[in-house]
Amino acid sequence: AAETDSPSGGRSGALTPGPAVAGHVQKIDVNPPKGTRDFPPEDMRLRNWLFDHFKEVSRLHGFEEVDFPVLESEALFTRKAGEEIKDQLYCFEDRGNRRVALRPELTPSLARLVIQKGKSVSLPLKWFTVGQCWRYERMTRGRRREHYQWNMDIIGVPGVMAEAELISSIVTLFKRIGITESDVGFKVSSRKVLQEVLKCYSVPENLFGKVCVIIDKIEKIPVDEIKRDLTAVGLTQEAVQELLQVLSVKSLAELEERLGSSGEAVADLKHLFSLAEKFGYSKWLQFDASVVRGLAYYTGIVFEGFDREGKLRAICGGGRYDHLFSTFGADDIAACGFGFGDAVIVELLKEKGLLPELGLQVDNIVCALDEDLQGCAAMVANILREKGQSVDLVLESKPLKWVFKRAARANAERLVLVGNSEWQRGMVGVKILSTGEQYEVKLDDLK
Ligand SMILES: Nc1ccc(Br)nc1
């Protein structure tokens, strides 16, 4: 039966456990909650491989790691701009009657911590985190409800060197995992383009976020719906027309013709593209006036990483958010950042045949040949572990055939066998599994 959320919040369907029948326990549903994932060892190795690259790139760029609770006050995310992220908030009332939410994104938590730290931290801040983010979406669309996001943020730098540095970080990541500029690119624009157009039509500043959120849907819903939604928030037909035209501008030169050279939008974008030359990633960037991103708080440069074959959703996205802090009642601080999810990138690596082969790897299997030598085997394991060697210690009596099979599965370097006669002479048996070479070695010489 199709899985649907029943009003009671339970789930109907073939696998849902029924009530315990008197005398025996009904088998539980061993799958994780709808829209969530387990990470069994082979998936966890891939996740760690990816996250280790995230963290190494952040370290290379001089960023400090931070973290926040996955549970936040709902107030952090209740922006009134019609964002999808708010419609899908995984929120509830806790036992203390507090409105809380599983975070749908990391930037508001980061802003909260920066405000909390206040003058005790010196700007600029370069902070990064990798954290799980949540959304509650009716499973009718069968989409995931959680993913992990790598975020890097620069707080306190108003100039576009900050955005250039963030894009440099992402390019570095792509290169490390074998993705090139022929596989992906970055669409770059600035929300100041929209701001300058809206200003010409005397559209009140407080509508800016809403207009951007509507326009972000331009490739997802019919243009007539976009026009209707823009009109509904109070834009005139002329303003709507001009907005849609400026979004179809094909080059920075054409944008400059349209908006003039004196505006910040053109200046910022020209500066960013010239910095891209210096950073060496010009080939990765393209101006695309239609990029606005779907988060209400962006105020300047926005960018998103895309796959050139056009098969996948955006790989990453980010931009400048210079007024987020004042929405939390604090003084504004110039800021920019990006989010990079753990799902689309893995789909891209699969497409490109770039998934790494990450088998279990252990240095030694240590095995007692007799039940009463288990303690001696533990001593051997200890000696090796103190030398930094990984040891899979066989914990119960097993036939040698089983031990060899486990050693092969663990891709072990060597097998260390603790036998009675050898032990009496202070020796253990060693077998190098790659060559079959076999020898005895004194315990003290084991390394
Ligand atoms: N914001 C958000 C959270 C979780 C997933 Br899956 N996608 C987007």
Side-chain angles (χ1 to χ4, degrees):
E3 291 282 348
T4 54
D5 287 333
S6 62
S8 63
R11 283 204 326 250
S12 63
L15 283 179
T16 310
V21 178
H24 77 279
V25 174
Q26 184 69 23
K27 185 172 184 299
I28 60 152
D29 179 352
V30 292
N31 295 304
K34 269 278 172 225
T36 70
R37 300 165 290 174
D38 294 314
F39 287 87
E42 66 277 15
D43 296 344
M44 197 63 200
R45 283 194 286 271
L46 177 61
R47 176 175 135 181
N48 284 333
W49 169 84
L50 181 62
F51 290 13
D52 287 349
H53 278 296
F54 288 159
K55 294 177 181 177
E56 178 59 10
V57 168
S58 304
R59 187 192 67 79
L60 288 171
H61 284 76
F63 280 61
E64 297 174 278
E65 188 166 12
V66 293
D67 195 12
F68 327 101
V70 73
L71 185 74
E72 285 278 10
S73 162
E74 186 187 41
L76 233 55
F77 312 108
T78 48
R79 302 185 291 264
K80 307 266 186 295
E83 295 159 281
E84 186 182 72
I85 208 165
K86 179 173 179 293
D87 301 342
Q88 298 173 346
L89 202 54
Y90 213 131
C91 54
F92 57 96
E93 188 159 296
D94 73 9
R95 293 177 185 275
N97 303 105
R98 296 176 198 83
R99 292 296 307 167
V100 289
L102 296 181
R103 65 192 176 196
E105 54 168 332
L106 297 161
T107 307
S109 300
L110 181 133
R112 175 180 61 70
L113 184 57
V114 171
I115 298 167
Q116 178 199 131
K117 287 298 175 192
K119 300 204 182 326
S120 71
V121 290
S122 52
L123 300 179
L125 295 173
K126 298 180 183 180
W127 287 358
F128 84 92
T129 190
V130 181
Q132 193 174 34
C133 296
W134 293 82
R135 68 180 171 196
Y136 189 87
E137 192 176 60
R138 309 292 295 180
M139 283 318 285
T140 41
R141 289 174 64 177
R143 297 204 298 174
R144 282 180 298 100
R145 284 185 173 157
E146 55 76 24
H147 72 171
Y148 284 82
Q149 258 196 28
W150 170 41
N151 276 219
M152 293 179 85
D153 290 82
I154 299 175
I155 310 298
V157 176
V160 296
M161 263 299 276
E163 288 93 323
E165 178 78 331
L166 291 176
I167 295 172
S168 161
S169 308
I170 306 173
V171 168
T172 303
L173 183 276
F174 279 137
K175 288 178 171 176
R176 287 173 67 93
I177 62 177
I179 298 287
T180 71
E181 69 274 16
S182 57
D183 300 316
V184 305
F186 291 86
K187 295 174 184 172
V188 181
S189 186
S190 171
R191 282 201 173 172
K192 289 180 182 174
V193 171
L194 297 180
Q195 199 177 30
E196 288 170 26
V197 170
L198 294 176
K199 205 170 169 185
C200 294
Y201 289 86
S202 318
V203 174
E205 282 273 313
N206 66 330
L207 290 181
F208 183 61
K210 277 185 184 171
V211 168
C212 292
V213 170
I214 293 168
I215 286 178
D216 177 60
K217 299 174 201 161
I218 200 147
E219 286 167 6
K220 300 159 198 161
I221 64 176
V223 70
D224 288 346
E225 272 190 54
I226 298 281
K227 290 178 178 173
R228 190 200 62 204
D229 293 350
L230 289 172
T231 312
V233 298
L235 267 59
T236 64
Q237 289 306 318
E238 279 177 293
V240 171
Q241 214 45 44
E242 176 62 16
L243 267 183
L244 295 176
Q245 278 178 11
V246 85
L247 291 171
S248 56
V249 161
K250 292 298 173 224
S251 71
L252 206 39
E254 189 189 338
L255 185 75
E256 188 166 12
E257 276 171 37
R258 203 178 185 96
L259 296 184
S261 313
S262 59
E264 287 184 18
V266 169
D268 286 351
L269 286 162
K270 288 169 85 171
H271 189 192
L272 181 65
F273 278 90
S274 72
L275 289 171
E277 291 284 344
K278 300 288 186 283
F279 274 93
Y281 58 67
S282 288
K283 290 186 194 137
W284 296 69
L285 302 194
Q286 64 193 54
F287 170 73
D288 184 328
S290 69
V291 172
V292 284
R293 300 298 293 164
L295 292 168
Y297 49 67
Y298 287 132
T299 55
I301 296 277
V302 284
F303 54 86
E304 68 187 33
F306 69 100
D307 79 293
R308 293 192 187 277
E309 287 193 23
K311 289 181 184 170
L312 305 172
R313 302 178 310 287
I315 302 162
C316 56
R320 177 160 290 280
Y321 53 95
D322 287 345
H323 298 316
L324 179 62
F325 291 83
S326 54
T327 66
F328 292 156
D331 294 337
D332 267 329
I333 313 172
C336 59
F338 69 80
F340 192 120
D342 71 332
V344 178
I345 187 62
V346 170
E347 290 171 44
L348 179 68
L349 290 169
K350 279 177 188 160
E351 283 281 323
K352 303 293 179 185
L354 288 169
L355 280 181
E357 305 234 331
L358 303 164
L360 166 63
Q361 185 71 57
V362 79
D363 299 325
N364 307 273
I365 304 273
V366 173
C367 175
L369 293 179
D370 301 289
E371 182 82 35
D372 53 5
L373 289 170
Q374 290 286 14
C376 306
M379 286 168 66
V380 173
N382 233 19
I383 290 166
L384 290 170
R385 286 165 178 164
E386 280 171 3
K387 294 175 192 295
Q389 292 251 343
S390 59
V391 174
D392 176 0
L393 175 60
V394 177
L395 302 172
E396 48 196 349
S397 288
K398 289 289 182 186
L400 264 184
K401 191 171 174 231
W402 180 95
V403 177
F404 276 99
K405 196 171 173 206
R406 185 163 178 94
R409 179 186 164 278
N411 204 12
E413 183 71 28
R414 65 183 181 180
L415 191 50
V416 180
L417 298 171
V418 183
N420 249 320
S421 61
E422 295 86 349
W423 190 257
Q424 296 309 319
R425 290 180 283 113
M427 311 283 271
V428 289
V430 173
K431 184 179 179 76
I432 305 302
L433 294 168
S434 55
T435 61
E437 185 194 356
Q438 205 156 332
Y439 54 89
E440 287 186 355
V441 63
K442 279 177 73 178
L443 202 52
D444 303 349
D445 296 339
L446 198 53
K447 53 184 180 302

